[in-house]
Amino acid sequence: MTAPVVSRPQLESLLAGLLERQSADAPFVIVRGDASVEPEAVVVGGQPVAVFASDSPLAIRAHVSKHRNGPLAIITSCDSTALGADLLARAVSRRIRTVDRWEIIARMFGAKQVTRDLADHDAVADALIELEPLGGYRPVTAKVLDLQTALATLVRIGFEADIDTLVDLIIWAERPAAARALREVRPQVADLVERHLTDLHGPAVRPIFAAIRQGKGDQMTALGLVADVVANDPISPAALRLDLEFGDISLTGPEFAALGRAAVDRVRNAAPSDPIARWLHAGDAAVERVKATADAVRSDVLPSGFEARVGAAAAALVTWLETPADRDGERTAEAALDRLDAHLLAEEERSRVTRMRMAARLVRWLTTGWEPAGTLKGTVIDYLADGSWRDRARETVSRGDRHPEARTVLAEIDAQVLDRVRSHGATTARQLANAAYRHDDLLGVEDLLATVAVRAAEAGPVLVLVLDGMGWPSFLEVAEQLERQGWHPVTHADLPAQPTALATLPTVTEFSRASLLCGSLRSGQQDSETRYFPSLEAFRPFDKKPPLLFHKADLRQGGLDTLSGHVVEAIEDRGRHIVGVVLNNIDERLKDVEAPPAGWDLDALTPLRELLRAARHAGRALVVTADHGHILHRDDTQRPGADGGERWRPTESGPAEEGEIEVKGPRVIVESKSCVMPWDERIHYGPKRNGYHGGLTPVELIVPAVVMMTEEAAGWEPLSIPAPSWWYPTLEIPAVESTASAPVPAKRAAKPSDAPTLFDPVPALVPEAADAPGDSVPAEGDWVDRLLVRNDIASQLQGLRLDSAQVSAVLRLLAGAAGTPVQEERLADSLGMPRPRFSRWLGQLQRVLNVDGYEVLASVNGAVRLDRQLLENQMGTL
């Protein structure tokens, strides 16, 4: 029988177990093996071992007899008879040793034996012997070594991989070590490892190993992202072309899908230092290579998938726009927008996602029965409650999109809304022209400081923020930024019901801002404002340190867009009760830069962030206001201005033409007390700019006059600024006639004068007298009625002073959403409740319904979901 070849790792492993128990200075071990192959550089326990290979008994005896300083290993095919009993008696263990790989493996792992499934794979044993680390293998606790443990060790030691998930496997596949491991290990061992990993991690393992064998392991993430795209149709031409990249191995749908999910997980959970952009670029290149572009919409992460979803949302909007009242069209469009929002790039491309959402809101607005109000006050109320939100959406939509289909539908929606607004433009303008006169129930900018700012100053120090050019649509966006910084709108019983003011006419800076900051109808520039602001009669009770007013030059003394130190010092000085700051960012962006404004976040309004920080530090309230609003440039209708402004002209230049109106009155700040102002947004006089002001539209005339605070103050109540119903997707909630006898819904206190508006403070609740709720459940009525009359629920609501009518309204709204999360702001708006107050209210309701920690009402990322089934599991059938 031919003697086996003894490898160096095998010999070292055998000797390690034999020599560690020897006390002799120079022991020798006889090993049966092929003497024609002599291992090199054998080292055991850090000590070199001499190796002599020979089939000559005389040569072996002579070599053993030589003087040596260390152990000796003799490899020979001679049997014990040929070698002689005397020689064997001097050898370690007094016999010829045979290399038993499984004996060696068991010893390596501290095991007594190996399982049968492992013993069937000699190649695994040889690989483990060859790869034994310097510190040895981790001992097994059960004293039995099985195939799975051996393979797991091979993965960790031989493949240099710690694989707990498929993402770990993809990361390993992209390293050079992966290709090297599969190249150097025996094929049967690689197949066993692949099968082992498949058992642990599923069908994605096969394509990963195939890609490594094809030399494409470094493209693993990109190929996985394409697999995610084609997984729904594994026999499509694109899928078959992708299969060729893996070596034409006939990948199945589950294999494509599992690999795709793993690649997507890797991208979504990547570290900031990972080359995400490179992965996505390579993925898109592979999508084009296999001609899967038409299916890219399926990808949650690829840039091509995002663009495809923009196109899909645009197509859905086109269909819906043909019949705006069609609920199926709305559902399809909202589903397309949700898919767009779910994409990895949605946050990075937030402005584009928002633009498409705004377009959907405008389509819903087109279905409303909007008609202009018959009075100036009614027009103001209507604009605050509806028109300002519409114009905010229009401003966003008018910015367009780089996707051609999206750009087309956005322009069409914008045009349809503009046509509808223009169809009533002349009627609205006739009401707005009454702003040329003072009105007791409406505030003019000239009286804003003496009323709003003074009332706020009575509660503590105040910062008056004048954002030049900020109408209500811009303010709604700015207010979101301020609320994220902890500033919330508030109101006072002594202030006008509407938190707004009317600009002077024409609606330009030199008239309206001068009148605002000087406290009287006038024209002027910065020097006039700086001179008159500290000496206002209304400020005299607070003039221990005279008020200060800062303009653009003051703010930038510390450097471009950097807040000056002396401005910060003045704001943080609580002894100076009133400080005013004029921010010109909005007005400047309309005329001084080429690109139109993309939005009004804190970065676009530098140094507003620093102003807010200083105001908070000093405990100041904010009075947020403006001198006038603005419109954005649209289809050009340029006319000669004859020495007027961008959007007004003197009456001497000619009578009012189509799209214009002549206004007269004491609040028209021109010498003749009359001028011509356009109500058509397309009309402007002079060169083209990003935007204009001076005309007679609600957005130019009606400006915010809102007090905002970070802390509660006596006499001040949270101010609700709710969005209109069309701002949110339609929820079909069936109307239910309640037959519950208790608890009786609370009544709101009646307002003594005008009908309440959406911007009134939330009144105190005045409950009607009612019997205490009992255990009786109504025989009829809906589940909300039956829930609210339960003794345990009703008593808790009463203890927390939660109005059952409000609870009922929110539960019905959530039930109508059928498990879909509903934004907290929508729920707050449905109750006419300020959003900060609603968050606290919701927390109290969760205490009532989330029994034993079960999330019947779950709030995640600002959205609330009702689990009706869980509620009934907790409360019983309702």
Side-chain angles (χ1 to χ4, degrees), residues 5-14 99 101 104-105 107-109 122-134 137 153-154 157-158 181 183-186 188-189:
V5 174
V6 179
S7 68
R8 179 185 58 79
Q10 288 176 329
L11 184 58
E12 287 180 341
S13 297
L14 174 65
V99 175
R101 54 173 56 90
I104 293 172
I105 290 298
R107 183 186 55 77
M108 283 180 169
F109 283 86
D122 292 349
V124 174
D126 292 340
L128 287 170
I129 292 171
E130 292 173 7
L131 295 169
E132 183 185 18
L134 187 61
Y137 291 118
T153 303
L154 269 181
I157 303 300
R183 185 172 59 250
E184 294 178 355
V185 77
R186 297 180 187 178
Q188 58 266 44
V189 174

Side-chain angles (χ1 to χ4, degrees), residues 793-814:
I793 299 298
S795 61
Q796 289 186 73
L797 295 180
Q798 187 176 18
L800 293 172
R801 302 180 66 183
L802 292 179
D803 174 22
S804 59
Q806 293 177 329
V807 173
S808 175
V810 166
L811 292 180
R812 293 182 199 283
L813 189 61
L814 291 171

Side-chain angles (χ1 to χ4, degrees), residues 314-600:
L317 287 172
V318 168
T319 302
W320 183 22
L321 187 59
E322 293 174 354
T323 53
D326 178 26
R327 282 286 294 117
D328 288 338
E330 181 183 6
R331 277 190 289 265
T332 301
E334 288 294 340
L337 291 171
D338 288 341
R339 289 196 73 195
L340 178 62
D341 219 345
H343 197 279
L344 174 72
L345 299 182
E347 199 55 44
E348 182 180 328
E349 297 270 20
R350 180 52 54 192
S351 61
R352 298 180 67 195
V353 177
T354 299
R355 207 169 294 144
M356 302 301 284
R357 291 279 188 196
M358 291 294 189
R361 287 164 173 159
L362 290 179
V363 176
R364 272 191 296 273
W365 181 83
L366 287 170
T367 68
T368 65
W370 175 74
E371 294 287 341
T375 64
L376 175 59
K377 181 179 178 181
T379 300
V380 170
I381 293 173
D382 172 72
Y383 190 69
L384 268 59
D386 186 271
S388 60
W389 297 87
R390 175 199 66 217
D391 286 348
R392 180 189 174 191
R394 290 174 62 213
E395 282 194 5
T396 304
V397 167
S398 69
R399 294 164 190 157
D401 194 88
R402 62 175 176 265
H403 192 289
E405 285 80 5
R407 184 168 57 249
T408 298
V409 72
L410 292 176
E412 177 59 27
I413 291 171
D414 185 40
Q416 288 196 25
V417 174
L418 178 59
D419 286 345
R420 188 175 179 195
V421 172
R422 286 181 63 250
S423 68
H424 298 295
T427 302
T428 300
R430 285 194 290 271
Q431 303 306 327
L432 297 179
N434 290 317
Y437 299 87
R438 288 181 180 269
H439 296 265
D440 292 339
D441 51 359
L442 293 172
L443 191 67
V445 291
E446 65 274 18
D447 297 319
L448 190 151
L449 295 180
T451 53
V452 179
V454 167
R455 175 56 66 191
E458 290 173 352
V462 167
L463 175 62
V464 179
L465 278 175
V466 181
L467 281 74
D468 197 334
M470 179 183 67
W472 264 94
S474 301
F475 170 74
L476 292 173
E477 188 171 356
V478 172
E480 288 183 359
Q481 309 295 322
L482 297 180
E483 291 202 54
R484 291 192 187 106
Q485 300 296 313
W487 297 87
H488 304 294
V490 294
T491 189
H492 194 280
D494 293 339
L495 290 180
Q498 282 70 43
T500 191
L502 301 177
T504 63
L505 306 177
T507 51
V508 294
T509 300
E510 66 175 298
F511 300 147
S512 201
R513 198 177 78 190
S515 299
L516 166 64
L517 294 174
C518 296
S520 61
L521 294 170
R522 61 180 302 119
S523 63
Q525 304 297 329
Q526 290 186 15
D527 56 346
S528 301
E529 298 164 0
T530 304
R531 186 170 64 255
Y532 280 94
F533 183 82
S535 60
L536 284 176
E537 182 68 25
F539 288 171
R540 288 196 180 280
F542 313 103
D543 65 359
K544 184 176 181 180
K545 284 188 177 181
L548 289 178
L549 179 65
F550 298 102
H551 288 87
K552 175 172 64 176
D554 303 305
L555 301 180
R556 295 181 177 174
Q557 286 182 6
L560 183 63
D561 288 342
T562 301
L563 188 59
S564 170
H566 76 279
V567 176
V568 173
E569 182 181 345
I571 295 174
E572 292 187 345
D573 181 2
R574 289 184 59 87
R576 194 177 300 278
H577 220 71
I578 299 174
V579 178
V581 173
V582 178
L583 291 178
N584 297 89
N585 307 59
I586 294 176
D587 197 47
E588 287 178 344
R589 289 292 301 275
L590 296 177
K591 61 185 179 183
D592 293 342
V593 295
E594 293 184 3
W600 304 119

Side-chain angles (χ1 to χ4, degrees), residues 78-143:
C78 296
D79 57 18
S80 58
T81 302
L83 293 177
D86 61 323
L87 182 63
L88 291 178
R90 294 156 52 197
V92 171
S93 72
R94 299 179 181 182
R95 62 188 177 89
I96 300 173
R97 305 294 303 192
T98 302
V99 175
D100 183 338
R101 54 173 56 90
W102 296 117
E103 178 185 340
I104 293 172
I105 290 298
R107 183 186 55 77
M108 283 180 169
F109 283 86
K112 293 182 178 179
Q113 61 184 21
V114 298
T115 58
R116 183 177 297 278
D117 61 348
L118 175 56
D120 289 339
H121 300 289
D122 292 349
V124 174
D126 292 340
L128 287 170
I129 292 171
E130 292 173 7
L131 295 169
E132 183 185 18
L134 187 61
Y137 291 118
R138 185 184 307 153
V140 293
T141 57
K143 300 305 180 182

Side-chain angles (χ1 to χ4, degrees), residues 123-288:
V124 174
D126 292 340
L128 287 170
I129 292 171
E130 292 173 7
L131 295 169
E132 183 185 18
L134 187 61
Y137 291 118
R138 185 184 307 153
V140 293
T141 57
K143 300 305 180 182
V144 176
L145 180 65
D146 60 20
L147 178 61
Q148 296 306 310
T149 302
L151 292 174
T153 303
L154 269 181
V155 171
R156 187 177 70 256
I157 303 300
F159 286 23
E160 302 176 30
D162 288 318
I163 299 173
D164 294 323
T165 66
L166 275 176
V167 172
D168 295 332
L169 188 59
I170 289 178
I171 293 172
W172 170 76
E174 292 180 333
R175 296 172 180 165
R180 184 172 61 250
L182 291 190
R183 185 172 59 250
E184 294 178 355
V185 77
R186 297 180 187 178
Q188 58 266 44
V189 174
D191 291 342
L192 284 170
V193 169
E194 179 182 338
R195 196 179 312 153
H196 164 70
L197 291 174
T198 300
D199 291 340
L200 292 176
H201 302 295
V205 174
R206 188 169 80 100
I208 292 175
F209 270 66
I212 297 171
R213 293 186 179 102
Q214 291 295 310
K216 295 183 178 181
D218 59 338
Q219 305 173 37
M220 202 64 255
T221 299
L223 293 175
L225 295 178
V226 187
D228 179 56
V229 169
V230 304
N232 284 3
D233 189 0
I235 60 173
S236 67
L240 296 177
R241 281 188 285 269
L242 179 60
D243 185 67
L244 292 175
E245 305 239 357
F246 291 92
D248 195 13
I249 59 174
S250 301
L251 288 172
T252 65
E255 288 173 327
F256 277 129
L259 177 59
R261 285 193 299 271
V264 170
D265 285 345
R266 188 186 185 191
V267 172
R268 283 198 175 276
N269 299 310
S273 58
D274 285 330
I276 302 174
R278 178 165 60 80
W279 296 337
L280 298 181
H281 176 76
D284 267 347
V287 165
E288 292 186 8

Side-chain angles (χ1 to χ4, degrees), residues 26-55:
F28 69 91
V29 178
I30 303 174
V31 180
R32 184 177 183 277
D34 186 346
S36 66
V37 181
E38 182 177 301
E40 297 179 359
V42 174
V43 178
V44 177
Q47 181 181 17
V49 176
V51 178
F52 179 69
S54 175
D55 286 334

